[in-house]
Amino acid sequence: MGWMTPTVVADRGLELLSATFIFSVVVSFGLYFAGTKSRHKSSSLKPHVSGNFIEDWWLGVQLNPHFMGVDLKFFFVRAGMMAWLFINLSLFAKSYLAGSVNLSVILYQFFCAWYIIDYFVHEEFMTSTWDIIAERLGFMLVFGDLVFIPFTFTIQGWWLLRNEVELSLLASVANFCIFIIGYLVFRGANKQKHMFKKDPKAPIWGKPPKVVGGKLLASGYWGIARHCNYLGDLLLALSFSLPCGFSSVIPYFYPTYLLILLIWRERRDEARCSQKYKEIWAEYCKLVPWRILPYVY
């Protein structure tokens, strides 16, 4: 409509980053003080106070705090995912106006846009993920959703804006294959887990599911590795960076960070599941010995 230039986000990246960071800090303090005063008994709103201010502020006090009927955890995830898309679109507009759009830029933009839009199409699957089930809403998640996701997951876009990369056809096809494999594993694993929680008898890959102790799914992707969805996520992250080539490590910050995060999260999840399911978890680990990558880890 001509109200503002489509490059406004790319032109004001530092200002937006600063404002969003300040907003995240203010919101996290608000969540802490509101949570400690809560008298709710439900698992979603019951306050979990350790007595350590830094820990409670960082990790959060409530699991799913609400504001005017809005689930803030879902709201912040949505805001972060949309910001990721908007920043990328603004970067693409800047590249287009500068006449520097090439195959690398198109691949990166397409992969990210597909991932983000697919998230909203299958948002229901988020309800069975670690963030929603186990993580309380504190500075860690608020900062992660509003600042870290949109402003670090777009590093590749910023880098391509300032560096021209020419990919060969073979490299582009290989990159596309990595994206497709990552997407199929990531989306397929999360869908299988979600459907199993809704209907434990629903077939997996056309066969009745194998269940350990009546609780743990050991079929499909979950019979290959205990956190096969993490493998898919890592392949997707790698596919976002490969269009940038190999002349710099900067575009590979996202997959490197994600690898460290998911291994740390996998360890936390393993400890939590071991404590929760006890003998059932030990039996599941014997049946599915690989954590993320079969025959490697």
Side-chain angles (χ1 to χ4, degrees):
M1 299 178 70
W3 290 353
M4 63 180 70
T5 170
T7 66
V8 63
V9 179
D11 294 336
R12 294 287 182 263
L14 185 60
E15 293 92 325
L16 286 168
L17 171 61
S18 303
T20 309
F21 175 76
I22 294 170
F23 178 77
S24 299
V25 173
V26 172
V27 166
S28 60
F29 276 113
L31 289 170
Y32 170 79
F33 291 116
T36 54
K37 294 179 181 180
S38 174
R39 295 295 180 266
H40 285 277
K41 300 299 181 182
S42 66
S43 59
S44 293
L45 299 174
K46 180 181 179 181
H48 299 267
V49 181
S50 68
N52 184 320
F53 168 75
I54 298 298
E55 179 181 337
D56 292 337
W57 171 75
W58 180 268
L59 295 177
V61 175
Q62 295 174 298
L63 188 63
N64 289 92
H66 287 66
F67 179 72
M68 297 180 66
V70 176
D71 185 315
L72 291 179
K73 187 183 287 186
F74 262 107
F75 178 81
F76 290 145
V77 174
R78 285 179 174 178
M81 295 296 285
M82 285 190 287
W84 179 7
L85 180 62
F86 291 153
I87 291 174
N88 270 351
L89 290 176
S90 188
L91 291 170
F92 181 77
K94 201 170 181 69
S95 295
Y96 178 78
L97 292 175
S100 59
V101 173
N102 57 18
L103 185 56
S104 296
V105 173
I106 293 172
L107 283 176
Y108 165 72
Q109 291 286 344
F110 173 76
F111 293 158
C112 290
W114 182 283
Y115 181 87
I116 295 165
I117 294 171
D118 180 79
Y119 163 82
F120 286 104
V121 172
H122 298 100
E123 190 179 33
E124 181 187 357
F125 298 164
M126 271 290 291
T127 57
S128 55
T129 60
W130 170 274
D131 283 353
I132 301 300
I133 294 173
E135 296 281 21
R136 299 189 295 275
L137 186 61
F139 178 76
M140 182 179 73
L141 278 190
V142 174
F143 174 83
D145 290 339
L146 298 183
V147 180
F148 202 85
I149 287 177
F151 291 99
T152 63
F153 289 14
T154 55
I155 285 177
Q156 302 95 320
W158 291 102
W159 198 86
L160 286 171
L161 186 63
R162 292 163 174 79
N163 299 270
E164 187 172 342
V165 178
E166 293 293 341
L167 290 182
S168 67
L169 180 60
L170 180 61
S172 301
V173 171
N175 194 174
F176 191 80
C177 288
I178 291 173
F179 171 77
I180 292 297
I181 293 170
Y183 172 75
L184 292 175
V185 173
F186 174 75
R187 178 55 61 221
N190 284 332
K191 182 177 182 179
Q192 286 177 356
K193 179 172 67 172
H194 185 74
M195 297 308 296
F196 174 73
K197 287 179 178 292
K198 291 181 67 175
D199 180 9
K201 296 183 179 179
I204 302 292
W205 287 347
K207 299 179 181 179
K210 183 184 296 184
V211 183
V212 178
K215 296 181 178 180
L216 301 176
L217 177 64
S219 289
Y221 290 107
W222 301 95
I224 297 173
R226 300 198 292 273
H227 302 275
C228 209
N229 55 330
Y230 289 176
L231 174 61
D233 215 1
L234 288 169
L235 289 174
L236 284 169
L238 179 61
S239 73
F240 299 160
S241 298
L242 287 174
C244 299
F246 300 101
S247 63
S248 173
V249 298
I250 293 175
Y252 291 86
F253 171 81
Y254 174 32
T256 303
Y257 150 78
L258 191 65
L259 176 64
I260 296 170
L261 171 71
L262 292 182
I263 290 178
W264 171 68
R265 177 169 286 186
E266 173 267 325
R267 293 286 177 168
R268 289 177 63 195
D269 196 26
E270 291 274 324
R272 175 175 167 269
C273 289
S274 178
Q275 184 180 24
K276 180 179 180 180
Y277 297 112
K278 297 181 171 57
E279 295 83 6
I280 298 176
W281 182 255
E283 182 182 348
Y284 176 61
C285 290
K286 290 180 180 178
L287 187 63
V288 186
W290 305 109
R291 295 170 181 262
I292 297 177
L293 181 60
Y295 303 104
V296 176
Y297 177 71

